[in-house]
Amino acid sequence: MKKTWLLIVALVFSLVLTACGGNQDSSEGAAKGKDKSLVIYTNSGSDGRGDWLKEKAAEQGFKIEIVEAGGGDIRNKLIAEKANPIADVVYGLNEMNYIALKNEGVLEAFTPVWADEVEAGTSDPEGYYHSLVKQAILLIYNSDLYTEETAASDWPELWENKAFHGLYEVPTNLGGDTTRTVIAGILVRHQDPNGELGISAEGWEEIEKFFDNGTPATEGTPFYANLANGTTPFGQMFSSGIQQREEEYGVKAGIVSPEIGVPYVIEQVAIVKGTKKKEVAEEFINWFGSADVQAEWAKEFNSMPTNIEAAKSANPEVKALHESVTKQDMDWEFITENIDAWIEKITLEIQ
């Protein structure tokens, strides 16, 4: 009886060890199809993106959990969790966030199989993050109410011309990448090494006028609803978000193309350092960033891939939009060093 009991205990212990073996090297188990679950952080899961990605990834055997928040919030979360990471992969976000994450030691270097297929200079040269999508961060207007001639020609005209006062939406939540990029695009025009936080006094006056003369975003009411009904016929939007919202709200957006250009951001993908699913994360990124998948993503969500082959599949309207604007010169290293302090100053002193 005692021997029988010992045999049962040994058998149970053996089964437990077998089950736990995947935890000891979960990425190896995943690569063999035993566990392909991943936690993915992103700021790019809205408008059906997250659901689409879950479905398509499941077809490849992945089981992904998506955690979505604003780009700056995702970055802060990853840094806070650095000692005990929860996420395995991060995608979306823009350069200033990835530079910060790299500098904080949050990312794991890795070279995807498609790394040489994307536009030169769009990924991290040291391999910590790799480009997926280009986004133009735009000032748009309701084209039923304004024409190219009557609309504001650049952001400053909105507060310099009283005719536009109260007619553009200003953000109340400063955690999102689009908002932070708009603010950075205004402030870097007034870069001054002797100024407060690297910005001249004139620059801070401009950003104060920006907030003072606009209409604060209404909680629970999408910007496009107010764009369509004329409450705030001007405001910010990322390029891939326009076409779907035009169809949803029945309004055609006019695109402002300032002489100085518009901010361009490159959404990236990276592995979180310390993940226990490194091999699965690599497999996922190799799949997600491939030309075929990015071509599907481009068609579905009106994006402009950095993958040269996938970009050929971008929707014609998207190609035309990107051809209609020029890129603003942005010093992302400078912006990364200062963006948090800028946001803090705006939150405490200006908003």
Side-chain angles (χ1 to χ4, degrees), residues 186-239:
I186 295 168
L187 287 176
V188 294
R189 305 180 190 204
H190 306 279
Q191 194 167 336
D192 180 356
N194 298 316
E196 183 180 3
L197 303 175
I199 301 299
S200 68
E202 180 185 2
W204 288 115
E205 289 173 6
E206 290 289 282
I207 210 71
E208 186 170 356
K209 291 175 184 177
F210 166 66
F211 281 96
D212 285 349
N213 293 293
T215 295
T218 306
E219 186 175 356
T221 303
F223 159 59
Y224 247 84
N226 286 330
L227 178 87
N229 65 33
T231 301
T232 49
F234 293 88
Q236 66 187 37
M237 181 53 58
F238 53 95
S239 55

Side-chain angles (χ1 to χ4, degrees), residues 288-345:
F288 182 42
S290 66
D292 288 345
V293 176
Q294 285 302 299
E296 286 188 65
W297 183 271
K299 292 176 184 176
E300 188 73 21
F301 301 112
N302 299 302
S303 67
M304 177 55 74
T306 59
N307 185 295
I308 295 170
E309 188 62 32
K312 297 176 183 178
S313 298
N315 294 329
E317 298 87 352
V318 174
K319 292 179 182 178
L321 186 156
H322 283 269
E323 290 170 0
S324 72
V325 295
T326 57
K327 183 178 178 181
Q328 182 180 354
D329 185 22
M330 305 276 279
D331 183 347
W332 289 109
E333 291 285 352
F334 171 71
I335 293 168
T336 302
E337 290 173 8
N338 291 283
I339 187 67
D340 286 338
W342 294 344
I343 296 300
E344 182 178 15
K345 177 178 172 65

Side-chain angles (χ1 to χ4, degrees), residues 9 74 128 134 143 153 155 159 162 168 244 267 276-277 281 287 305 313:
V9 170
I74 289 290
Y128 283 90
K134 295 187 291 187
S143 65
S153 61
W155 283 101
W159 54 88
K162 291 183 179 180
Y168 63 96
Q244 181 176 340
E267 296 182 2
K276 295 181 175 63
K277 304 284 186 69
W287 166 78
S313 298

Side-chain angles (χ1 to χ4, degrees), residues 222-292:
F223 159 59
Y224 247 84
N226 286 330
L227 178 87
N229 65 33
T231 301
T232 49
F234 293 88
Q236 66 187 37
M237 181 53 58
F238 53 95
S239 55
S240 68
I242 292 176
Q243 191 168 342
Q244 181 176 340
R245 287 168 174 79
E246 286 183 338
E247 295 170 1
E248 181 178 354
Y249 291 96
V251 61
K252 181 72 174 175
I255 308 298
V256 176
S257 182
E259 185 177 342
I260 197 172
V262 302
Y264 257 85
V265 299
I266 310 294
E267 296 182 2
Q268 314 270 348
V269 65
I271 295 175
V272 178
K273 189 173 184 178
T275 173
K276 295 181 175 63
K277 304 284 186 69
K278 185 172 183 293
E279 289 186 23
V280 186
E282 291 177 355
E283 184 183 347
F284 172 81
I285 291 173
N286 282 334
W287 166 78
F288 182 42
S290 66
D292 288 345

